[in-house]
């Protein structure tokens, strides 16, 4: 609104600098921007790629489109839920993290027009690009579960969620407040970012209850829409004995469909027999929302696959139809697990392939589907799962990573945030492939 007003003032000659700005763009109410590369989304993937691309292409050749004022380090949210970190440790301002050589437009994409190489923003501006990188991430659809938003709005309530900065502080409150009864943890029937996270908070909570000597009064249940505990057998085989030993009830194919906050009841459906519903009374409910690519993206049918994610070649990350469009991170339709580590491993591939495409050269770089998930299993242990498109372990360290380890917990808690802020967002971290190759000389040691 303020922007629109100042444009009108400029038209009547009040403000010299705004006048110049308008002349340099257009004489209409809406700006027309042009750039070599447009990056939609300034999250982990978008920010890292903007750093790489703007350093190569020079000042103001790259535009980053993102309406947010804060950039959250989301892998910290499970630790915040467990009271190990604070929300204010998890973010920096967008201005601090976006590369100085790129131009930041604080606005959101509402319309993708890949046939005319333009993106329209919510304030009516249009951006014309030579190359487009889609890095929007996922949209959290808490509203898709009746009663859930109402339950999450109750002050000091029993329902919480690590997935949003709006709700993450409620998680530790719930852990502290529960005295007895059912603590229920969910995993939805949709693609999710960091599919290990719903389980990490389960293990942290269970450990917390033991530490506070209230575990005997609390039944701990994990209701997952998936048919498995974890998609990679090597790690699922390590996790099943942990849930058994810790007396956690795991129900697979069980999907949260409604919350009744007045009665503290959660309703689940059996995905193998949808007419079968279960009403479960909770003393605490950790809800993971269904997720999708953002609406602006899914509305553009030419860009997305059947699941609504950007239809890219899984090796090159280039759009299957539009050769000047690439995707990185959670909005990409490549069939990898959606984690920050995946975006890190995709970044050198996307970068080199985008530069090749800009120069009219064939694409030569290939993403192997690498994803990693530090499965936090309590207040001092992590199983570091790392795997590729074939769901085969692709591990960095010359130790058995399917065991709970304190060293990996320290890496997750103290080392990863530093690596993220200092190396990933600045475009220097390309995932652990180089480290893995160097450490592979010690692999004879591995059980
Ligand atoms: C990683 O690259 C990454 O992205 C920056 C994470 O997210 C924060 C991770 O959690 C992990 C484990 C990796 C992989 C890095 C190593 C050193 C194995």
């Amino acid at each position: 609104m303020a922007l629109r007003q100042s444009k009108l003032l400029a038209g009547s000659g009040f403000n010299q600098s705004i006048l110049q700005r308008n002349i340099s763009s257009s004489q209409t109410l809406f700006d027309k921007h042009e750039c070599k590369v447009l990056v939609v989304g300034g999250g982990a993937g978008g920010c890292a790629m903007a750093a790489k691309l703007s350093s190569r292409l020079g000042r103001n050749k790259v535009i980053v489109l993102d309406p947010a004022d804060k950039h959250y380090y989301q892998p910290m949210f499970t630790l915040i839920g467990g009271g190990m970190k604070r929300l204010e440790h998890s973010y920096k301002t967008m201005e601090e993290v976006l590369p100085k050589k790129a131009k930041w437009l604080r606005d959101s994409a509402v319309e993708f027009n890949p046939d005319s190489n333009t993106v329209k923003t919510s304030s009516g501006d249009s951006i014309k690009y030579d190359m487009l990188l889609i890095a929007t991430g996922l949209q959290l659809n808490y509203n898709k579960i009746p009663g859930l938003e109402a339950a999450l709005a109750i002050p000091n309530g029993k329902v919480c969620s690590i997935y949003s900065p709006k709700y993450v502080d409620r998680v530790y409150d719930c852990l502290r407040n529960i005295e007895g009864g059912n603590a229920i943890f969910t995993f939805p029937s949709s693609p999710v970012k960091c599919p290990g996270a719903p389980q990490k908070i389960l293990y942290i909570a269970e450990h917390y209850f033991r530490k506070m000597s209230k575990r005997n009064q609390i039944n701990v249940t994990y209701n997952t829409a998936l048919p498995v505990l974890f998609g990679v057998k090597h790690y699922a085989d390590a996790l099943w004995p942990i849930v058994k030993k810790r007396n956690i009830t795991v129900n697979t194919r069980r999907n949260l469909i409604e919350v009744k906050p007045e009665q503290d009841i959660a309703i689940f459906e059996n995905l193998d027999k949808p007419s079968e519903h279960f009403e479960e009374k909770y003393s605490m409910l950790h809800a993971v929302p269904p997720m999708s690519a953002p609406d602006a993206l899914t509305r553009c049918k030419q860009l997305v696959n059947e699941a609504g994610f950007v239809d890219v070649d899984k090796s090159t990350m280039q759009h299957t139809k539009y050769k000047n469009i690439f995707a990185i991170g959670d909005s990409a339709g490549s069939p990898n697990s959606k984690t920050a580590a995946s975006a890190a491993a995709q970044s050198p591939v996307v970068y080199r392939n985008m530069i090749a495409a800009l120069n009219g050269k064939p694409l030569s770089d290939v993403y192997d589907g690498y994803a990693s998930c530090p499965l936090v299993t309590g207040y001092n242990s992590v199983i570091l799962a790392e795997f590729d498109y074939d769901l085969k372990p692709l591990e960095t360290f010359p130790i058995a990573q399917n065991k709970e380890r304190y060293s990996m917990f320290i890496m997750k808690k103290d080392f990863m945030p530093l690596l993220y802020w200092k190396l990933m967002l600045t475009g220097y971290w390309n995932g652990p492939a180089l480290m893995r190759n160097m450490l592979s000389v010690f692999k004879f040691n591995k059980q």
Side-chain angles (χ1 to χ4, degrees), residues 79 185 299 311 363:
L79 303 181
F185 296 79
R299 274 198 297 270
D311 196 7
L363 312 191

Side-chain angles (χ1 to χ4, degrees), residues 44 73-76 194 200 339-345 370-374 382 384-386 394-397 401 408 411-412 415-417 419-421 423-425 429-433 435-436 439:
Y73 174 59
Q74 298 178 54
M76 196 178 274
C194 194
K200 298 176 197 178
T339 70
S342 314
Y370 174 84
S372 99
C373 179
V382 156
L384 179 60
E386 294 180 277
L394 187 58
E395 299 185 337
T396 303
F397 299 103
Q401 286 185 206
M408 296 295 133
M411 185 196 74
K412 158 83 185 166
F415 177 68
M416 275 302 149
L419 181 141
Y420 183 83
W421 297 121
L423 297 181
M424 179 160 176
L425 295 190
W429 175 247
N430 291 327
M435 201 169 167
R436 181 170 64 238
L439 291 173

Side-chain angles (χ1 to χ4, degrees), residues 140-213:
L140 303 174
N141 300 319
Y142 283 101
N143 58 344
K144 289 271 163 70
I145 310 237
L148 180 55
E149 282 186 321
L152 285 164
I154 298 172
N156 218 17
K158 296 177 178 170
V159 181
C160 59
S161 182
I162 53 166
Y163 270 89
S164 163
K166 205 166 144 195
Y167 305 129
V168 65
D169 276 337
R170 295 171 68 92
V171 180
Y172 193 48
D173 291 340
C174 282
L175 298 191
R176 280 183 295 185
N177 290 344
I178 184 173
E179 297 295 344
N182 296 326
I184 303 174
F185 296 79
T186 74
F187 186 109
S189 167
S190 79
V192 301
K193 50 179 158 182
C194 194
Q199 214 171 133
K200 298 176 197 178
I201 193 61
L202 161 81
Y203 298 129
I204 291 170
E206 195 276 338
H207 191 182
Y208 181 83
F209 301 153
R210 274 187 285 133
K211 286 200 320 169
M212 295 296 139
S213 310

Side-chain angles (χ1 to χ4, degrees), residues 177-309:
N177 290 344
I178 184 173
E179 297 295 344
N182 296 326
I184 303 174
F185 296 79
T186 74
F187 186 109
S189 167
S190 79
V192 301
K193 50 179 158 182
C194 194
Q199 214 171 133
K200 298 176 197 178
I201 193 61
L202 161 81
Y203 298 129
I204 291 170
E206 195 276 338
H207 191 182
Y208 181 83
F209 301 153
R210 274 187 285 133
K211 286 200 320 169
M212 295 296 139
S213 310
K214 55 184 179 182
R215 177 68 178 92
N216 289 343
Q217 288 82 261
I218 302 170
N219 305 311
V220 181
T221 302
Y222 183 54
N223 284 344
T224 172
L226 296 176
V228 290
L229 184 54
F230 196 76
V232 182
K233 189 176 176 304
H234 184 64
Y235 304 106
D237 288 349
L239 292 167
W240 275 113
I242 292 174
V243 292
K244 296 226 162 84
K245 189 175 96 199
R246 292 167 64 171
N247 197 21
I248 296 170
T249 305
V250 177
N251 298 309
T252 55
R253 303 293 283 153
R254 202 168 285 202
N255 182 35
L256 179 68
I257 53 169
E258 190 178 345
V259 180
K260 290 186 173 166
E262 329 70 51
Q263 297 156 63
D264 298 335
I265 283 179
I267 305 179
F268 293 86
E269 67 175 343
N270 176 352
L271 287 172
D272 291 326
K273 205 173 159 199
S275 59
E276 190 176 15
H277 288 183
F278 305 91
E279 290 207 346
E280 296 178 19
K281 181 113 182 141
Y282 58 80
S283 299
M284 132 167 208
L285 174 68
H286 179 265
V288 178
M291 300 175 206
S292 63
D295 295 335
L297 201 53
T298 49
R299 274 198 297 270
C300 184
K301 296 287 174 238
Q302 313 96 288
L303 276 186
V304 297
N305 62 18
E306 273 176 17
F309 294 93

Side-chain angles (χ1 to χ4, degrees), residues 130-134 302-303 305 309-329 332-335 346 349-367 389:
D130 292 344
M131 304 276 292
L132 172 66
L133 177 64
I134 302 177
Q302 313 96 288
L303 276 186
N305 62 18
F309 294 93
V310 186
D311 196 7
V312 292
D313 176 288
K314 69 175 202 171
S315 301
T316 62
M317 305 303 285
Q318 184 184 43
H319 195 273
T320 51
K321 184 167 161 221
Y322 299 98
K323 302 302 172 200
N324 64 339
I325 299 183
F326 287 75
I328 189 166
S334 45
Q346 288 163 1
V349 176
V350 175
Y351 169 69
R352 285 192 285 259
N353 285 344
M354 281 184 89
I355 295 295
L358 264 171
N359 294 328
K361 300 228 168 82
L363 312 191
S364 53
D365 245 58
V366 168
Y367 169 54
Y389 274 137

